[in-house]
Every structure is written in structure tokens, then in C-alpha cells.
Amino acid sequence: MRRQAAEDAFVDRLVRGFTRSPGQINRPHESDAELVRLPGSELVLAVTVDQIVEEVRAGLYDDPYLLGWMTVAASASDLAAVGAAPLGVVIGHVLRPDTSDAALDALQRGIADAANAAGLPVLGGDTAFDSAASTSATAFGVVAGGAAMTRRGAAIGDRLFATGPLGSGSVFAWAKRRGETAPRFLPAPRLDAGALARGFASAAADTSDGALAACDLLLPPEGVDVVWDAPPEAYLHPDAARLAAGLGIPPWMLLAGPHGEFELLLAVPEAAAGGLVDIARSRGIRFLDLGRFAAGTGAVRFPGAGVSIDPAAVRDAQRAAPADPRAFLRALGEAARPLSARDREVTPHATR
Amino acid sequence: MRRQAAEDAFVDRLVRGFTRSPGQINRPHESDAELVRLPGSELVLAVTVDQIVEEVRAGLYDDPYLLGWMTVAASASDLAAVGAAPLGVVIGHVLRPDTSDAALDALQRGIADAANAAGLPVLGGDTAFDSAASTSATAFGVVAGGAAMTRRGAAIGDRLFATGPLGSGSVFAWAKRRGETAPRFLPAPRLDAGALARGFASAAADTSDGALAACDLLLPPEGVDVVWDAPPEAYLHPDAARLAAGLGIPPWMLLAGPHGEFELLLAVPEAAAGGLVDIARSRGIRFLDLGRFAAGTGAVRFPGAGVSIDPAAVRDAQRAAPADPRAFLRALGEAARPLSARDREVTPHATR
């Protein structure tokens, strides 16, 4: 068994005394959204809660419009990762008593715009007042006809797809944490791609904590590695590639979060990959073909870069969450080790 | 039209830019839980979010077990008020980094015990860390076969029922705010009574913000009063009656919250009242028969006490939320006016 990230161990501790619902499909850590059968129905309800607290404290979302957008989009992205059709969202506001009318209006516009973009109507909410602001959202969706996607199910031989270029969330966070001008950042959750992929993918997770954290969540308990065949230009957002070059750090570090975006990573059996890509293309959805699941020990391998990453160690570095991004990069370095010459061989990158 | 409480006006402002879900049954303020039709199904999903923030800051829930209990019970009570069958709850934790193992375990035990008592399994959650703690819960349930109860529908001639004695929440809050020893307080949500009442009641609301706030929510927009025929001993919890006597304040002030309990107030058409009480008794559920809805101007009348209360003014006094309970009592006094001699006539109190 490979090492468990500290966050997963903490969650196990939180839930150990709880009585499990007989209708719940997923176990802890197994799914981006909780999945529960609706009694007297063929439907599965998908439910997910996300709180935006640390990001506000760190100053990442000092723009109230962005805070509103991210509040809704973060929970919508979890629905996308299970392939659910969006049903609605309820919002928890914690407001400072001195919140200006303009800030409150901008917050609500961000919520409304993200809700409209995701097709996820705001059903209601609750407002509290406190000396420090935060938000939360609980999104609901429905899975009809077939099983929901979970994080469990990737197998050796599966391909690794992404719904779009990665690393823009890290670029945004890096700039904000260093007090520099951040690029425009209003990431869209991939609900259409998730709903489409549900019939094809063996497993899925979103990149809200970075793509390497998503890999950790997708890796089976033992015996499997993720191998990124793709060269950096195939998976990094252009801003992320530029930042990596400017900082002189390896491109994979831009996949290490902890502030991600809302792409999906999908494990897709080889036999289903062509069909998914064809149908997706006919609907205007493009997938990036990043690599594959291969026999291994729970690592994420980048043959082109010559490194192997322990993705649980990446998540632990995120959790330690140093306010200093350079200290975080040093911790990341300790999660990597050089690949053997044999493992540096790059499988020819498939074009889809 | 009677006056709108400031809280309702604030919510109207928050939601004005939102696109309404075509499947949502209730409008803002109309229901303790949001009600949305599940596509491709006869089921209605009931969803409600409650944040526990101010209560933690005020020191009311300095016992982590109680905080855990109240987190779940508050949202479960909203499901009870719409008559939904509980399906599950997701929890939002905001924890201080220095939370002790013992405090965290007690918090989780309170959550687990309330979840088990309500038959509302914890399906998942999200944890954030911050310098001040709080919790939230989003509960959801299903309404099958017939319409959900809402706050809308009470009519002149309906009876006013409660699921149990009122005011224990105010007693608890009074003691805690004054640094005195508080009585044991682990209020149970009335899910069984709510599910039973759904076929009989014209409207329902819980007393989580006090019974007078619930009356405000149940009163139609114009032309109707609530008249409490019941003498104080019929509706006040014994601790509340004792506190009112000890403080020398009128018993109705113990119904004014803002910290209530989780009883339900129900409007029940006179023709349905006998049937509801009979079936309830056969299941071991007792309803208190408090009074009736009568022609009026949006007031809550206590003929025995000779006062008429503006329940929107009570809610506004709650919202102003003075930390000093005596200042709150003064504000309450301004929400009351003497009843005319004619209106002091007490209808003989029915025994059910």
C-alpha cells in the first residue's frame, strides 16, 4: 500500500464515529462529490460542499466578484468530476458588518455569473456576520442512467486525459501571494465535459488542488504509477509555462497547486479513448492526452523531465501551506527523485 | 401589506440578480428549506444550509459537543418544518489550528449523536482552518407523495399548534450570556412530527429563532393576526416560565428569541385539527394547541396578557442583536402595545 496523504488520514479520523448511510455509494476520499441513492427512484444525488476561507485570509480573493465566482465554481467543479447534471446550489455567506454595498453587490454578481455559466441555480443560503469574511457553497446534482464517476477505478493501461491546459491557478496564486498583478482568472467548471466523460472514463477528479493532487486521488492503493508522456507545452497553460521558465523551476511544479483551476483529470480505458475523443470533438470539447497509468509504486513519473514525484508528499506540502511560496517550492523538491535511465524512456505521445 | 422584517428585505436584496431555477417551488422566505423538483421523478428535494457563527462568537456553544449537536440539529429542524424525510447532511468545519484532540473528538461526537438521533447520516464535508472556529451544515431530504409544507398557507380560522413547550432556547442563551450555569440543552428536531403534520397543516416553521419569529414567518402578507388563546403554562417550558417570573418580565418575551429551540409551529385548518391530534397521539406525538389565526393586521395577540406584538419588530430587535440581554428586552417592549378591552376577551382554550 502506498503512503496516505495526511489530509486523508485526518478525514478518516473525523468520520470514524459516524454512522454510514446505507444509500451512500462512495466511501471517504473516493469521490469529488458525495453520491447517495434517492429512495424510490433510479436517481443518484451528488452533493458537495466547499468553503472559501484560507483563500480569503491569504488575500487571493480580495476582489469580491472573484470570491463570488469561485464560491460557486468550486462546488460546480466537483459535480463535473462525478458527471452529474447540475440541480442547484445553496450559499453560506459570512460577512463583515462593515461590508460596503458595492462589495456586496460585486460578490453577488460573481455568484450569479458563475451560477449562470454553470447552469447551477442558486436555491437559497444563509448569512452570518463576523469580523472576517468567508463563503461556502453546497452544490447538488443528479446522476441518471448509469453510475456516477468516482476517483476509484483507474487501471494499468488507462489513458490520462485533461479537459484543458493546467497550471493557471498556480500562476494566479503565485502573483497574488507576491503582491504582483495577477492575470485575469475566472476558471470555468467543466460540467459538459464531465457529463460526457461519465460513460467513458474509469475515474475522474478535478484539479482544484492542482493536477498532482488529482493524480494522488486517482491512483489506486498500490501497484500503479501515472506516467505523463506529454511534453510540457501539451499540458501547461501558456502563463504557467512562462512562469516556470521565468522562475527557472521545472514545469511540473506548476501542477503542484495548492491553488488549482477547475479542469478535470480523467482515467480512460484505452479501448474507450478514441470514442470519447470523437464524440467530444463533435460537441466542441477537446481533451488533452497526457499520459497513461502503468505498473509502478504510486508515483507520478515525468520521463521527459527525468523525475518521479510522490503525489501524497505533494499534498502534504500543500497542507503545511507555507505562506512563503519559495518555501513551498523547496518542499516540493523533496517530493521528487530522479528517474532511472530505463524509466526516462518516453512513450511516443499520441495525438488525439 | 404589513411591514417586512429587515432580514427579509436584506435577503431580497441578496437574491435580486439571481436566475431562478424553474424547478424551485418556494420563493425567498416562503419555506424553512428550499424545495426543488427532481427532474424525471415525482420527488421534491428539500435543501437547507445553516451556519453556526454568531453563537460561537457569543460563547453560547463553548462546549464542542453542543456545537456539533446544534450544527446538525439546526439544519435537520428545517427539514422537519417542510415535512421531508431526511436523506443526509454535509458539514463545513472551520477549525482553529490549535484545536485539541479532545475538543475535536467532542465536536465529532456531538455531530454523530445528533445525526443518529435525527436519522440524518453525515455524507461528507469540508474542513478549513482559521483563527476563529465555526461550523455549517447543509441538510437535505426528500418529499414524496404530495406537496411539501411551507411557511405560506395559513388562513383565518386555522389553529396554531406547537410540537412542544417553548422558550428553552431563550433560557439557555440568557444563562450563557450572563455567565451563569445553563440548564442542559440538546434540543431535538421534530422530524417525525413534521412528516406527520405535512398531510394536515396549511403552513409550518420551526422555532429556531424563537416562536414569535416563527409567527412572523407564518403570517400572511395582510389581514391576519395570530391569537394565542393558551395560558402561559400551556406553551412555556417550565424553565422559561421560571425565568420570566424571576426576571419579572411577561412570559411572551421568552418566545422572542433570538436563540430558540427546534419545535415546530403549525397552522392547521380547524377541520383537520382533530384528525391530526388523534393520529399523532396514536404515535406518541403530542401537539400543544396554542391559538388561532384570526382577522387582523399582522399582529400576534396575547389576550390573557393584554398585549399585541408586532412580530416583524421582534425580528428586527433580534437582528440588532445587542450583546446585552436587558437592552434586547427593552427593544422587545417597544414591539408590544396594549390590547383594547374587546381584544382582551380570551377564547375558551380547547383541550386536545
Side-chain angles (χ1 to χ4, degrees):
Chain A
M1 296 280 284
R2 63 196 188 88
R3 201 165 64 81
Q4 188 185 40
E7 182 181 354
D8 292 346
F10 182 70
V11 169
D12 286 345
R13 181 244 165 102
L14 287 181
V15 305
R16 66 187 172 195
F18 292 165
T19 305
R20 192 172 154 78
S21 163
Q24 187 165 13
I25 292 165
N26 65 300
R27 294 201 167 259
H29 332 300
E30 288 189 350
S31 177
D32 275 22
E34 314 304 331
L35 302 166
V36 60
R37 287 185 199 88
L38 284 163
S41 153
E42 296 297 302
L43 300 173
V44 168
L45 187 71
V47 181
T48 176
V49 54
D50 278 286
Q51 305 176 107
I52 316 273
V53 179
E54 286 102 338
E55 296 87 345
V56 179
R57 296 297 168 270
L60 297 186
Y61 304 160
D62 50 3
D63 169 2
Y65 179 89
L66 176 62
L67 174 58
W69 177 280
M70 295 299 283
T71 301
V72 172
S75 61
S77 180
D78 288 333
L79 294 184
V82 299
L87 194 59
V89 62
V90 292
I91 308 287
H93 281 78
V94 179
L95 298 175
R96 294 167 51 116
D98 63 354
T99 304
S100 72
D101 285 353
L104 187 56
D105 288 345
L107 176 68
Q108 297 305 96
R109 272 200 312 277
I111 289 171
D113 286 354
N116 289 340
L120 184 69
V122 178
L123 299 174
D126 185 47
T127 303
F129 291 89
D130 198 10
S131 55
S134 64
T135 60
S136 64
T138 304
F140 294 86
V142 172
V143 181
M149 286 191 296
T150 71
R151 298 168 178 168
R152 294 274 73 84
I156 292 173
D158 286 359
R159 301 296 312 172
L160 178 70
F161 283 180
T163 53
L166 305 167
S168 61
S170 286
V171 175
F172 173 83
W174 179 270
K176 293 296 288 186
R177 281 195 176 269
R178 293 177 61 88
E180 298 164 5
T181 304
R184 187 173 180 279
F185 184 70
L186 289 174
R190 300 301 187 189
L191 285 152
D192 289 347
L196 174 64
R198 182 166 64 88
F200 297 86
S202 55
D206 81 357
T207 66
S208 59
D209 297 328
L212 284 171
C215 286
D216 186 56
L217 299 170
L218 291 175
L219 273 169
E222 55 187 338
V224 185
D225 278 2
V226 175
V227 183
W228 290 56
D229 305 328
E233 59 271 24
Y235 62 78
L236 275 195
H237 188 284
D239 289 344
R242 253 192 305 275
L243 179 59
L247 294 172
I249 60 174
W252 68 262
M253 286 193 175
L254 272 294
L255 306 176
H259 186 271
E261 51 288 316
F262 298 131
E263 303 300 340
L264 302 180
L265 289 196
L266 300 158
V268 184
E270 181 67 54
L276 173 59
V277 169
D278 287 346
I279 295 180
R281 192 176 287 141
S282 75
R283 300 191 190 176
I285 297 171
R286 271 198 67 219
F287 290 102
L288 302 180
D289 186 348
L290 300 177
R292 62 199 155 88
F293 290 80
T297 57
V300 179
R301 284 186 261 156
F302 292 91
V307 292
S308 171
I309 317 291
D310 174 358
V314 169
R315 290 178 67 206
D316 288 351
Q318 292 180 353
R319 189 172 165 82
D324 173 7
R326 292 204 173 269
F328 175 64
L329 291 180
R330 278 194 301 276
L332 281 186
E334 290 162 23
R337 60 173 186 77
L339 274 178
S340 69
R342 190 181 64 81
D343 285 341
R344 286 181 191 233
E345 282 174 34
V346 179
T347 307
H349 182 63
T351 305
R352 299 199 189 262
Chain B
M1 296 282 282
R2 66 197 186 86
R3 200 166 65 80
Q4 188 185 39
E7 183 181 353
D8 291 346
F10 181 70
V11 169
D12 286 345
R13 179 244 165 101
L14 288 181
V15 305
R16 67 187 171 195
F18 292 165
T19 304
R20 192 174 154 75
S21 163
Q24 187 165 11
I25 293 165
N26 65 300
R27 295 202 167 259
H29 331 302
E30 288 189 351
S31 177
D32 275 22
E34 314 305 331
L35 301 166
V36 60
R37 288 183 201 87
L38 284 164
S41 154
E42 297 297 303
L43 299 173
V44 169
L45 185 70
V47 178
T48 176
V49 54
D50 279 287
Q51 303 174 109
I52 317 272
V53 179
E54 287 101 339
E55 296 86 345
V56 178
R57 297 296 168 270
L60 296 186
Y61 305 159
D62 49 4
D63 169 3
Y65 179 89
L66 176 62
L67 174 58
W69 177 281
M70 296 300 281
T71 300
V72 172
S75 62
S77 181
D78 288 333
L79 293 184
V82 299
L87 196 58
V89 62
V90 292
I91 308 286
H93 281 77
V94 180
L95 299 175
R96 295 168 51 118
D98 62 354
T99 304
S100 71
D101 285 353
L104 187 56
D105 288 345
L107 176 67
Q108 297 305 95
R109 272 200 311 278
I111 289 171
D113 286 353
N116 289 340
L120 184 70
V122 179
L123 297 175
D126 185 47
T127 303
F129 291 90
D130 198 10
S131 56
S134 64
T135 60
S136 64
T138 305
F140 41 98
V142 172
V143 181
M149 288 192 293
T150 71
R151 298 167 177 168
R152 294 273 73 84
I156 292 171
D158 286 358
R159 300 297 311 174
L160 177 70
F161 283 0
T163 52
L166 304 167
S168 60
S170 285
V171 174
F172 173 83
W174 179 269
K176 293 295 289 184
R177 281 196 175 269
R178 292 177 62 88
E180 298 164 6
T181 305
R184 186 171 180 279
F185 184 70
L186 289 174
R190 299 302 186 188
L191 285 152
D192 289 347
L196 175 64
R198 182 166 63 90
F200 296 88
S202 55
D206 81 358
T207 66
S208 58
D209 297 326
L212 284 170
C215 286
D216 187 56
L217 299 170
L218 291 175
L219 274 168
E222 56 187 337
V224 185
D225 278 2
V226 175
V227 184
W228 290 54
D229 304 328
E233 60 272 22
Y235 62 79
L236 275 196
H237 188 284
D239 289 344
R242 253 192 305 274
L243 178 60
L247 294 172
I249 61 174
W252 68 262
M253 286 192 174
L254 273 293
L255 305 177
H259 187 272
E261 52 287 316
F262 298 132
E263 303 300 338
L264 302 180
L265 291 195
L266 300 158
V268 184
E270 180 67 54
L276 173 59
V277 169
D278 288 345
I279 294 180
R281 193 175 286 140
S282 74
R283 300 192 190 176
I285 298 170
R286 272 197 68 218
F287 290 102
L288 302 179
D289 185 347
L290 300 177
R292 61 198 156 87
F293 290 80
T297 57
V300 178
R301 286 186 259 155
F302 291 90
V307 292
S308 170
I309 317 291
D310 174 357
V314 169
R315 290 179 67 206
D316 288 351
Q318 292 179 354
R319 190 172 165 79
D324 173 6
R326 292 204 172 268
F328 175 64
L329 291 180
R330 280 194 300 275
L332 281 185
E334 289 162 24
R337 59 173 187 76
L339 275 176
S340 68
R342 191 180 62 80
D343 284 338
R344 286 182 191 231
E345 284 174 33
V346 179
T347 308
H349 183 62
T351 304
R352 299 201 189 260

